[in-house]
Amino acid sequence: MAKEIMDKLAEITRKRKKAHQKLVSLKSQVYDAFLQMEQVAFADGALSKKAKELIAIGISVQMDCESCMQWHIDQAAACGATYREILEAIEVGIEMGAGRVTVSARFALDAMEQAFPNEEA
């Protein structure tokens, strides 16, 4: 892996840990509630923690949240997710982005019909 990527990942981790410690030391009630919600949301239930982490990876890709991607990939790997499972979660995120774009494209086609009522495809 390129040194610049390794450095970027290390910096994301450093910043995440620093912010976590700061919010904990400030006794942020909102952050505390967030941490509790995270524990409940990712606990094993009808879906395993691993499955939930894979879902979070796809969402993180969709949100373009690098810190989220790194965190949830690490968490999924710690839960036993394989390289291929994580790759497929990333691919679902990619597809959902393209899916969202097709919705926008449908709107654009409707707008074109209104702007060019006499044009035929």
Side-chain angles (χ1 to χ4, degrees):
M1 182 181 303
K3 182 180 178 338
E4 62 214 31
I5 298 295
M6 293 295 289
D7 290 346
K8 184 175 188 172
L9 293 170
E11 182 65 8
I12 289 170
T13 299
R14 186 191 68 75
K15 286 180 177 180
R16 182 175 49 245
K17 287 180 178 181
K18 181 180 177 184
H20 171 78
Q21 289 302 320
K22 183 70 171 180
L23 288 165
V24 169
S25 71
L26 292 171
K27 299 184 183 343
S28 169
Q29 291 179 338
V30 171
Y31 188 64
D32 185 55
F34 169 77
L35 293 175
Q36 290 175 32
M37 180 178 62
E38 179 184 40
Q39 287 178 352
V40 173
F42 284 92
D44 284 329
L47 293 174
S48 67
K49 179 173 175 22
K50 179 178 112 173
K52 292 175 182 184
E53 292 295 349
L54 292 169
I55 291 167
I57 291 167
I59 293 169
S60 298
V61 168
Q62 211 15 241
M63 293 172 46
D64 192 27
C65 177
E66 292 176 341
S67 181
C68 302
M69 286 182 252
Q70 180 195 31
W71 174 258
H72 291 293
I73 288 170
D74 288 348
Q75 295 300 304
C79 290
T82 66
Y83 183 91
R84 292 298 304 179
E85 288 172 323
I86 293 171
L87 176 60
E88 287 186 17
I90 292 167
E91 291 171 339
V92 169
I94 292 168
E95 188 283 330
M96 291 304 295
R100 184 179 65 211
V101 172
T102 62
V103 173
S104 297
R106 286 181 284 206
F107 178 82
L109 291 171
D110 289 342
M112 286 176 60
E113 285 182 19
Q114 182 178 0
F116 300 96
N118 298 323
E119 291 287 322
E120 293 183 26

